[in-house]
């Protein structure tokens, strides 16, 4: 089969242009069988991209066994705002029940990164993942130490870890995009009653170890700091 990528811009959605990147893989027996479709966009969440993909596959089934890619592109250009609106509605309906069912099961994750070569892009990517997965916490820089502390639903934390390990988030020494291979999971545990919940996800830089320590102490995570951070200085 063949694989090709198409990028389209859809106007008048949420008062902004949405750029959709569509990847079609046409198997050898296409159009008798459905194409594989991947959807990505910097303006949409992962959930919205999945909803767009599902709707495209629904439409594709209606076109079997005729060639359909052109029709699918036209369809999503006309219907994207409805797909997004529907997605947001479903999300809002689920928020209350999900919050109730997972409040007792909030987890935290502490990661150590060895370095960031493309820092600005890397930071922006981490912020987007945290936002998409409704995770709060801190991305912390102190000297050469880089830590990511996350809190949220355990399944979302698991998904974040998969993204962190499988996505091309940085560049190597020659400037090519590469996956994060120098990452350590220092701690993954359930948030206890003495721990303070972070309300937002923030990027912070500290000039001293004391400043970094105070961040942990404010969140009731003094033990976490003393157990995992000082060894990183050795």
């Amino acid at each position: 089969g063949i694989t090709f990528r198409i990028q389209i811009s859809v106007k008048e959605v949420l008062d902004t242009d949405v750029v959709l990147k569509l990847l079609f893989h046409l198997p050898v027996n296409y159009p008798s069988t459905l194409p594989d479709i991947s959807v990505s966009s910097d303006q949409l969440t992962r959930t919205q991209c999945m909803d767009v993909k599902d709707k495209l596959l629904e439409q594709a089934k209606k076109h079997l066994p005729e060639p359909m890619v052109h029709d699918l592109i036209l369809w999503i250009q006309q219907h994207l705002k409805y797909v997004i609106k529907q997605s947001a509605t479903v999300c809002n309906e689920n928020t209350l029940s999900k919050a109730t069912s997972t409040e007792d099961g909030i987890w935290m994750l502490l990661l150590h990164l060895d370095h960031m070569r493309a820092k600005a892009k890397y930071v922006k990517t981490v912020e987007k993942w945290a936002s998409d997965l409704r995770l709060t916490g801190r991305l912390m820089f102190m000297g050469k130490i880089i830590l990511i502390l996350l809190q949220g639903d355990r399944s979302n934390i698991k998904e974040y870890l998969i993204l962190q390990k499988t996505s091309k988030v940085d560049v190597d020494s020659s400037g090519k995009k590469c996956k994060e291979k120098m990452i350590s999971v220092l701690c993954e545990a359930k948030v206890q009653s003495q721990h303070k919940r972070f309300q937002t996800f923030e990027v912070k830089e500290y000039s001293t170890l004391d400043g970094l320590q105070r961040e942990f102490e404010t969140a009731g995570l003094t033990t976490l700091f003393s157990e995992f951070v000082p060894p990183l200085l050795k």
Side-chain angles (χ1 to χ4, degrees):
I2 61 167
T3 301
F4 59 92
R5 186 187 301 274
I6 293 176
Q7 183 168 300
I8 58 171
S9 180
V10 184
K11 304 239 179 230
E12 297 175 11
V13 181
L14 308 176
D15 299 323
T16 185
D17 287 2
V18 173
V19 177
L20 278 183
K21 297 164 189 168
L22 308 172
L23 188 71
F24 291 92
H25 172 71
L26 308 184
V28 177
N29 44 1
Y30 171 85
S32 301
T33 56
L34 292 174
D36 286 326
I37 304 172
S38 294
V39 179
S40 61
S41 172
D42 291 337
Q43 288 87 23
L44 302 182
T45 65
R46 281 171 58 78
T47 303
Q48 287 172 325
C49 287
M50 289 295 292
D51 289 337
V52 171
K53 173 186 170 179
D54 292 342
K55 293 295 183 185
L56 282 172
L57 286 172
E58 276 180 29
Q59 291 300 311
K61 288 174 186 172
K62 298 176 183 177
H63 289 279
L64 287 173
E66 301 293 329
M68 63 193 73
V69 172
H70 181 65
D71 291 319
L72 294 179
I73 292 167
L74 291 177
W75 185 87
I76 198 59
Q77 284 178 311
Q78 293 167 1
H79 294 85
L80 179 64
K81 55 186 167 187
Y82 305 112
V83 174
I84 292 174
K85 200 177 288 184
Q86 199 172 29
S87 171
T89 304
V90 172
C91 182
N92 289 338
E93 288 173 355
N94 289 340
T95 301
L96 185 59
S97 60
K98 184 154 188 179
T100 307
S101 64
T102 60
E103 194 59 36
D104 295 332
I106 300 299
W107 281 65
M108 66 178 173
L109 177 72
L110 181 62
L111 301 172
H112 173 239
L113 302 183
D114 185 72
H115 62 270
M116 284 185 183
R117 284 196 176 92
K119 183 176 176 180
K121 179 179 177 293
Y122 205 131
V123 168
K124 190 176 177 183
T125 301
V126 170
E127 286 179 315
K128 178 168 169 47
W129 288 343
S131 172
D132 289 352
L133 295 168
R134 298 189 298 281
L135 299 174
T136 60
R138 300 286 185 266
L139 169 53
M140 300 174 280
F141 296 91
M142 199 287 294
K144 291 186 177 180
I145 293 178
I146 306 170
L147 298 169
I148 300 176
L149 179 59
L150 298 170
Q151 292 179 344
D153 182 64
R154 194 177 187 188
S155 62
N156 289 349
I157 280 184
K158 293 284 187 192
E159 187 172 345
Y160 177 92
L161 256 181
I162 292 170
L163 283 170
Q164 181 77 63
K165 291 179 178 179
T166 59
S167 304
K168 291 185 177 180
V169 287
D170 207 359
V171 295
D172 60 19
S173 55
S174 61
K176 291 181 181 176
K177 290 182 181 178
C178 65
K179 294 177 184 176
E180 179 57 75
K181 294 175 182 172
M182 304 286 284
I183 186 171
S184 306
V185 179
L186 300 180
C187 177
E188 185 178 355
K190 194 170 182 179
V191 171
Q192 303 301 317
S193 56
Q194 71 269 26
H195 300 150
K196 180 185 168 189
R197 288 289 311 280
F198 291 110
Q199 299 303 310
T200 58
F201 183 83
E202 296 178 30
V203 180
K204 291 197 167 186
E205 303 215 14
Y206 309 87
S207 54
T208 64
L209 188 63
D210 288 343
L212 181 60
Q213 185 171 353
R214 278 195 296 274
E215 186 74 65
F216 278 80
E217 289 173 350
T218 302
L221 299 171
T222 305
T223 306
L224 189 72
F225 176 87
S226 56
E227 187 175 346
F228 295 106
V229 180
L232 298 175
L233 295 168
K234 294 174 183 175

